[in-house]
Amino acid sequence: FQSTTTMKKFLYLLLLLPLGLVSASCDDDNKVPDVGVQATLSGGVVDNNTIYVVQGEPLVIEQMQIVNHTGKDAAIGVVNYYIDGVGAGQSLVAPYRFEFFTDNLPVGNHVLTAEMPVYVVDYPICFGAFSFPLQIVEDASALPGEPETAIHHALIREK
């Protein structure tokens, strides 16, 4: 077989094929729809865009909802939650409530992320994402205020 080199070239070309398909599916005519996603959080204190939670107390996403300015039907799909890039769980249906238990999170800095597909009629599927610094503190005296309910908005981008 002179085919070792030929086979490697063929495999290389096969590996490149999906990249061409991905770039071909992103059309310049497709625009990100005028929608947003907002989350209502409770159980923590938000200060300077950082969420503070006492270790052992839950942080709750009370609801995740779409804010639609397009006049078209719109919805969000399954919401995936992560802490420090590790999957923490999913919410499958509205209101997409999710409770983070902080018992096993060490005191200190973490990152809370939520990601979800955004569906709007006559638009390509988009992607919504939240990412916030999460500070786990030892006790309530370390909080920068009183726990409250806060609303946060996601960044929407093309998939």
Side-chain angles (χ1 to χ4, degrees):
F1 267 51
Q2 93 184 101
S3 58
T4 304
T5 306
T6 307
M7 193 71 127
K8 285 181 183 178
K9 289 180 184 177
F10 180 69
L11 286 173
Y12 179 72
L13 289 174
L14 281 177
L15 290 173
L16 290 177
L17 183 61
L19 294 177
L21 294 176
V22 169
S23 62
S25 68
C26 295
D27 190 339
D28 288 342
D29 294 336
N30 294 332
K31 296 187 175 157
V32 176
D34 186 12
V35 297
V37 176
Q38 69 181 29
T40 304
L41 301 135
S42 67
V45 175
V46 179
D47 186 48
N48 288 329
N49 217 27
T50 298
I51 302 168
Y52 293 83
V53 180
V54 174
Q55 186 180 42
E57 296 294 321
L59 174 64
V60 181
I61 306 284
E62 297 291 345
Q63 71 176 2
M64 190 84 62
Q65 65 187 40
I66 194 152
V67 179
N68 186 357
H69 303 286
T70 66
K72 308 259 183 177
D73 287 338
I76 57 177
V78 173
V79 181
N80 294 293
Y81 298 98
Y82 305 90
I83 293 184
D84 297 332
V86 177
Q90 294 180 318
S91 292
L92 304 177
V93 295
Y96 302 102
R97 188 177 193 285
F98 192 80
E99 192 167 339
F100 294 94
F101 297 99
T102 62
D103 304 54
N104 296 322
L105 283 177
V107 170
N109 297 318
H110 301 278
V111 176
L112 167 65
T113 305
E115 299 175 341
M116 74 289 304
V118 177
Y119 306 104
V120 181
V121 172
D122 296 332
Y123 286 91
I125 297 172
C126 290
F127 193 66
F130 293 88
S131 190
F132 291 101
L134 174 64
Q135 179 77 36
I136 302 298
V137 297
E138 286 186 45
D139 57 45
S141 66
L143 293 173
E146 293 295 317
E148 61 189 359
T149 299
I151 296 176
H152 296 282
H153 300 275
L155 172 68
I156 306 293
R157 65 177 192 267
E158 287 184 87
K159 189 159 176 119

